[in-house]
Amino acid sequence: MSCRWGTELWDQFDNLEKHTHWGIEFVEKYTKFVKERSEIEISYAKQIRNLSKKYQPKKNSREEDEYKYTSCRAFLMTLNELNDYAGQHEVMAEDLTTHIICELTRYIQELKAERKSHFHDGRRAQQHIENSWKQLESSKRRFERDCKEADRAQQYFDKIDADINVTKADVEKARHQAQMKHQVAEDSKNEYLTFLQKFNKEQNAHYHTLIPHIFQKLQEMEEKRIERVGESMKTYAEVDRKVLPIVGKCLDGMTKAAESIEPKMDTKHVVESYKSGFEPPGDVEVEDYSLSMRRTVSESSYLNSQGESKPSRSNSRGKLWPFIKRNKLMSLLASPRQPPPPPPTSPSPAAVHNGPQSPQQPSEPLSHRLNEFMTSKHKMQCLRSLKRGGSGPEDCSHLPPEQRRKKLQAKINDINKEIQKEMDQRDALSKMKDVYVKNPHMGDANSVDPRLEEICQNTDKLQLDARKYEAWLVEVETRLAEKSDKHRPPSGLYNSQTTTTVNNNCVHVNRESPDGSYTEDHSTEHHLKSRSTDFDDDFDYEDPLPTIGTCKSLYPFEGQNEGTISMTEGELLYVIEEDKGDGWTRVRRNEDEEGYVPTSYIKVFFDTNAKGAMTYI
């Protein structure tokens, strides 16, 4: 049965408009459904990939040893197949977006434009027939009004003509008026008939030609829309069916991985991993206590008893140094009191810049300085309250070694990127300058020079910063590599030359003990060591002194005395205490290596943002 909107729904213009609008909304609704399904597939694939990545073995981890077992290798194969499985869901989401969402979105725009055009033609035809009907009604009312006026004029003429008292002129005037009204009514009748004929013709064309043609196009548009939705639904199923073979292969791979597990081989690996090779213990022999015999103390038991009677030297020495570790306390208290060595001949301008050599000062024994340190309460409080301020020094020494290494490496990478950026800009400006030189009318070549000079300065500064961070990075990596090595035993407090100097020079300046006494009595040191045990727990983990700048060694220096530190030429160190007038500057190489070096051997670069190190001695 053939149904045509033009003949069957000729009077349902408004309902057809609502229905076609609903049809477009349905297509948009289905498009939104497919879009949400695509987003679900993408999210699902992402979660599957993250799950697979989460359980993948980490590089350089203990989990790598576990994958010698077949069950672990099967699990790894399952994770790889699961990753491919997630990729198929990503392919599905991509196909849904390409073949359905994008196509329907474009089709909806075309459908809206076509519908708008058809209903615009229908409204225009409807407006035309309404205007024709209004003209017919207007001519009809005019014809009716003229007929009534002609009838009243005829009645007035009949009344005047029957009255014998009315003059002939009045009678003629009334007759002429009646005839004129009759003529106007006749003209109105002819106009009305003309409009009536025109309206009937236009109405017939409207309902039998124009409207059926417009509605037929709307019907074709609706059928095409429904067919397009059906094709999209079919594509929706085909997209899902397309990935099923590959998904099946992924599942087959998982099954194959599970079938590759060999329990006996795994248990064999356990034997190979943990077998010690020792023989099991034999039977326990009977010990007869009924025989009276004197048991001889074995050599091993004698040695054990003798070892138990002696206190452990390593344990006793661990608590000999109060507040902080021994090497840190030695560098803090035992700064070299002998005059610094003169710089090598032909000093560099950097050495001259550091000023003349500091005056020589006599040395004093460690016992004096320990006594002074222990009896100065305000200095102990300063050491107790020492904290790192701000967000940390530039060398990231406030961070743990591994975090510091990562931070320094990240900064080096950033600086290298900035250097590469500056070099690219320099190359571009150089090419621009060459173009200006060859074509002066395009620009002034000299105008590029200031920018080139600025780029060169920035590059030099960045390279200097890169070398500085690289030196710090080498220091951290060296420390991490040597972390497991044992610390070297500390050398003697002073060599023979220093001891001679101490014995021959008893003058004390600035840092002598409070009572001004001088003694080499080791009992004093022993007394101080016993006093230090009460403070071990409070000061064993105090933070080191903050850095106040950096320095670069101009000459090599062999730190043979206690409290000094060796350095090579060109080495970068951190300054933690400036020269107090004795010709020595306190520096630090890393967390465990710090000491004094001659001021004339280094070039100091103070950090203007640092508050400076406090002097505790």
Side-chain angles (χ1 to χ4, degrees):
M1 180 178 180
S2 177
C3 296
R4 301 176 61 86
W5 285 12
T7 57
E8 302 293 337
L9 303 176
W10 62 270
D11 57 345
Q12 300 298 322
F13 185 88
D14 294 337
N15 289 331
L16 287 180
E17 184 177 14
K18 294 178 181 179
H19 177 76
T20 53
H21 179 71
W22 169 85
I24 294 177
E25 288 182 344
F26 177 78
V27 179
E28 292 177 342
K29 179 181 179 180
Y30 181 74
T31 305
K32 184 178 178 181
F33 159 75
V34 178
K35 184 177 181 180
E36 291 182 1
R37 167 68 189 278
S38 176
E39 292 174 353
I40 290 174
E41 293 295 337
I42 293 176
S43 177
Y44 178 69
K46 182 178 180 181
Q47 293 179 10
I48 291 294
R49 285 192 182 276
N50 291 338
L51 180 64
S52 176
K53 182 178 180 181
K54 178 180 179 181
Y55 286 94
Q56 288 283 350
K58 305 298 186 298
K59 293 183 178 180
N60 300 326
S61 66
R62 297 179 179 177
E63 295 180 0
E64 291 185 351
D65 297 336
E66 300 176 358
Y67 284 88
K68 61 186 177 182
Y69 301 107
T70 58
S71 58
C72 294
R73 290 200 298 268
F75 180 55
L76 181 60
M77 294 173 59
T78 302
L79 293 177
N80 294 333
E81 295 293 344
L82 189 63
N83 196 49
D84 296 338
Y85 177 81
Q88 296 309 307
H89 284 274
E90 292 176 347
V91 171
M92 186 187 304
E94 183 179 358
D95 291 343
L96 289 176
T97 302
T98 303
H99 301 305
I100 297 181
I101 298 175
C102 295
E103 293 294 333
L104 286 184
T105 302
R106 182 170 58 253
Y107 175 68
I108 288 173
Q109 300 300 326
E110 298 174 356
L111 189 63
K112 288 182 178 179
E114 183 180 0
R115 174 181 176 276
K116 182 178 180 181
S117 176
H118 293 331
F119 280 101
H120 177 72
D121 295 340
R123 289 192 183 91
R124 186 170 57 184
Q126 191 73 20
Q127 186 68 30
H128 179 74
I129 195 67
E130 289 179 359
N131 292 335
S132 180
W133 171 257
K134 289 179 181 179
Q135 290 179 355
L136 178 62
E137 287 294 323
S138 177
S139 63
K140 179 181 178 180
R141 286 193 298 270
R142 190 181 308 111
F143 172 58
E144 182 181 6
R145 185 179 66 252
D146 293 341
C147 288
K148 290 181 179 180
E149 291 181 357
D151 187 44
R152 285 196 297 269
Q154 183 64 35
Q155 291 179 1
Y156 179 73
F157 168 71
D158 293 340
K159 182 180 178 180
I160 293 297
D161 187 35
D163 191 357
I164 59 175
N165 297 323
V166 179
T167 61
K168 187 176 180 179
D170 293 336
V171 173
E172 289 296 330
K173 182 178 179 181
R175 181 185 294 110
H176 178 72
Q177 187 71 21
Q179 292 177 354
M180 185 178 64
K181 293 293 183 181
H182 279 289
Q183 185 63 36
V184 172
E186 188 67 22
D187 294 340
S188 298
K189 179 180 179 181
N190 294 333
E191 181 181 4
Y192 168 67
L193 293 176
T194 301
F195 278 111
L196 180 61
Q197 184 179 2
K198 178 183 177 182
F199 173 76
N200 290 332
K201 183 179 179 181
E202 291 178 351
Q203 181 176 248
N204 183 63
H206 177 78
Y207 288 109
H208 293 85
T209 304
L210 293 178
I211 291 298
H213 180 70
I214 294 173
F215 283 7
Q216 184 62 32
K217 289 184 178 180
L218 289 174
Q219 183 178 0
E220 293 175 358
M221 181 191 71
E222 183 69 8
E223 292 174 354
K224 185 177 179 181
R225 178 192 67 81
I226 297 172
E227 182 181 1
R228 192 64 175 269
V229 172
E231 292 176 355
S232 299
M233 291 181 178
K234 183 179 179 180
T235 305
Y236 178 85
E238 291 297 328
V239 166
D240 209 339
R241 185 179 290 108
K242 180 181 177 181
V243 301
L244 289 180
I246 305 179
V247 171
K249 291 182 179 180
C250 294
L251 298 177
D252 293 340
M254 296 180 186
T255 303
K256 185 178 180 181
E259 293 174 351
S260 66
I261 297 176
E262 299 180 8
K264 292 186 178 297
M265 184 176 293
D266 289 350
T267 55
K268 181 180 178 181
H269 280 302
V270 175
V271 174
E272 294 175 355
S273 299
Y274 301 107
K275 181 179 179 181
S276 64
F278 296 111
E279 294 294 335
D283 297 336
V284 179
E285 297 180 358
V286 177
E287 296 184 15
D288 190 358
Y289 292 98
S290 62
L291 300 178
S292 58
M293 59 179 295
R294 184 175 181 180
R295 301 185 63 185
T296 305
V297 180
S298 64
E299 183 181 357
S300 58
S301 61
Y302 172 75
L303 293 177
N304 291 335
S305 62
Q306 192 176 30
E308 292 175 357
S309 63
K310 294 182 180 180
S312 175
R313 177 174 295 182
S314 60
N315 293 337
S316 62
R317 294 183 63 176
K319 293 294 185 176
L320 289 180
W321 299 99
F323 313 121
I324 53 179
K325 294 181 180 180
R326 177 175 180 176
N327 56 352
K328 291 186 178 181
L329 181 64
M330 292 298 297
S331 61
L332 181 66
L333 300 180
S335 62
R337 303 303 300 157
Q338 69 275 16
T345 58
S346 302
S348 62
V352 176
H353 175 72
N354 284 323
Q357 181 180 345
S358 301
Q360 298 183 0
Q361 294 183 4
S363 175
E364 57 181 343
L366 176 63
S367 59
H368 265 258
R369 307 194 65 196
L370 281 171
N371 188 23
E372 179 184 358
F373 183 81
M374 296 297 296
T375 54
S376 300
K377 293 184 179 181
H378 67 283
K379 295 174 183 177
M380 293 169 57
Q381 293 174 356
C382 292
L383 181 61
R384 187 191 298 268
S385 61
L386 180 60
K387 300 293 180 182
R388 290 174 180 163
S391 59
E394 185 181 8
D395 61 348
C396 305
S397 59
H398 63 292
L399 297 175
E402 185 62 27
Q403 296 184 15
R404 183 186 179 193
R405 183 187 65 80
K406 294 180 180 179
K407 190 71 173 180
L408 292 175
Q409 186 63 52
K411 288 186 177 181
I412 291 174
N413 294 337
D414 294 340
I415 292 175
N416 289 335
K417 290 180 182 179
E418 293 294 331
I419 291 176
Q420 185 62 38
K421 183 178 179 181
E422 294 291 339
M423 293 178 67
D424 293 341
Q425 292 183 5
R426 183 193 62 185
D427 295 341
L429 290 175
S430 299
K431 293 180 181 179
M432 183 184 297
K433 184 177 180 179
D434 294 340
V435 173
Y436 287 167
V437 170
K438 296 178 181 179
N439 303 284
H441 64 279
M442 297 183 65
D444 184 10
N446 296 327
S447 62
V448 186
D449 292 338
R451 178 57 181 164
L452 283 174
E453 181 65 24
E454 181 182 355
I455 291 177
C456 291
Q457 294 178 0
N458 293 339
T459 304
D460 294 340
K461 183 179 178 181
L462 290 173
Q463 290 176 350
L464 181 62
D465 292 342
R467 288 194 294 269
K468 179 174 61 176
Y469 282 111
E470 287 172 357
W472 289 334
L473 181 61
V474 170
E475 171 196 335
V476 175
E477 291 178 345
T478 303
R479 179 177 174 273
L480 289 175
E482 300 176 353
K483 186 176 181 181
S484 59
D485 296 342
K486 295 182 179 180
H487 297 289
R488 290 177 297 179
S491 60
L493 296 180
Y494 293 95
N495 56 15
S496 59
Q497 181 182 357
T498 306
T499 307
T500 305
T501 305
V502 172
N503 294 333
N504 297 333
N505 298 279
C506 298
V507 182
H508 309 286
V509 290
N510 296 334
R511 299 185 181 183
E512 64 180 0
S513 58
D515 56 356
S517 62
Y518 176 83
T519 179
E520 285 289 338
D521 187 6
H522 296 284
S523 62
T524 306
E525 296 185 13
H526 177 73
H527 177 65
L528 294 177
K529 293 177 183 177
S530 63
R531 291 174 56 187
S532 65
T533 57
D534 298 334
F535 301 90
D536 286 342
D537 295 337
D538 293 336
F539 296 91
D540 208 20
Y541 298 99
E542 288 293 333
D543 291 336
L545 291 174
T547 59
I548 60 175
T550 58
C551 67
K552 180 179 181 182
S553 61
L554 304 176
Y555 314 103
F557 174 71
E558 294 291 336
Q560 299 178 355
N561 298 333
E562 186 67 20
T564 61
I565 185 173
S566 302
M567 62 181 180
T568 59
E569 184 178 358
E571 185 179 6
L572 294 176
L573 300 171
Y574 308 114
V575 179
I576 57 177
E577 185 175 332
E578 60 181 330
D579 189 353
K580 300 302 181 180
D582 54 0
W584 295 89
T585 301
R586 188 176 175 188
V587 298
R588 178 188 295 136
R589 178 175 288 110
N590 52 43
E591 185 177 355
D592 296 326
E593 293 185 63
E594 62 182 38
Y596 288 85
V597 295
T599 306
S600 58
Y601 274 52
I602 60 174
K603 182 177 181 180
V604 182
F605 306 94
F606 286 106
D607 187 359
T608 57
N609 296 327
K611 298 180 180 180
M614 300 180 64
T615 303
Y616 300 101
I617 300 174

